[in-house]
Amino acid sequence: PSGITDILIVSSNTTPVLYLSGLFQRNRWKIHRSRSLEDAVEFLQQHKAAVAICEETLPDGTWRDAARTLNSLPNGPMLVVIGSDRALSHEVLDSGGFDVLTRPLREAEVTWTVASAWHQWMKRFQGQETGGTRCSDA
């Protein structure tokens, strides 16, 4: 892999992409956007990402498809789903995801959730002593 991205945003909707990009670029996190699950998989074939944030529904699948796909990748990113109902969190956790962010997105909740997922991924990644490049210092 040619590098590590802090946050992979999987969404065809520009509104959450602009919000999340603005929020995390202030912290100098590396962010990449994929418009579909297929685009995300292509990206992850060449790069690593610590956290993948995806919409509940994608142009080519659902968050469940994303969970299955990401869980099958070595060092796959922690999955955070943007959904309409907090009750979705149990299903996301049971599918190997990290958490759910509900609309309207709130800065403190988004920051805490994504930073927690990032730290969990980093502990797992560094624990494998892969010698890979570090993500930005979040």
Side-chain angles (χ1 to χ4, degrees), residues 18 22 27 41 49 51 60 65 71 74 80 82 85-86 90 106 110 122 128-129 134 136-137:
L18 292 172
N27 299 322
V41 170
V51 180
D60 56 351
D65 300 313
N71 288 335
V80 175
I82 298 174
D85 187 357
R86 188 74 190 152
H90 295 293
R106 291 171 291 287
V110 171
M122 282 301 293
Q128 294 175 357
E129 298 180 357
R134 288 185 50 94
S136 59
D137 293 329

Side-chain angles (χ1 to χ4, degrees), residues 5-136:
T5 296
D6 296 300
I7 302 170
L8 171 62
I9 303 170
V10 186
S11 176
S12 60
N13 182 349
T14 57
T15 302
V17 172
L18 292 172
Y19 174 78
L20 294 167
S21 294
L23 183 63
F24 289 111
Q25 284 178 342
R26 287 185 274 177
N27 299 322
R28 296 186 188 179
W29 281 20
K30 296 176 195 169
I31 299 167
H32 178 82
R33 176 190 183 190
S34 293
R35 296 179 191 277
S36 67
L37 182 55
E38 181 181 351
D39 290 345
V41 170
E42 287 177 20
F43 176 79
L44 290 170
Q45 289 173 345
Q46 298 298 316
H47 303 83
K48 290 196 180 302
V51 180
I53 302 174
C54 83
E55 297 275 355
E56 198 170 353
T57 303
L58 302 168
D60 56 351
T62 68
W63 71 266
R64 289 175 191 84
D65 300 313
R68 276 192 297 276
T69 301
L70 297 178
N71 288 335
S72 72
L73 298 173
N75 295 315
M78 304 301 294
L79 176 64
V80 175
V81 177
I82 298 174
S84 55
D85 187 357
R86 188 74 190 152
L88 182 63
S89 63
H90 295 293
E91 194 176 349
V92 169
L93 293 172
D94 289 343
S95 297
F98 185 80
D99 206 351
V100 172
L101 296 170
T102 55
R103 288 183 183 88
L105 297 177
R106 291 171 291 287
E107 184 174 339
E109 180 185 7
V110 171
T111 302
W112 185 89
T113 299
V114 174
S116 297
W118 184 92
H119 283 287
Q120 185 168 327
W121 185 87
M122 282 301 293
K123 281 176 54 178
R124 184 180 72 200
F125 180 71
Q126 290 177 339
Q128 294 175 357
E129 298 180 357
T130 60
T133 8
R134 288 185 50 94
C135 290
S136 59

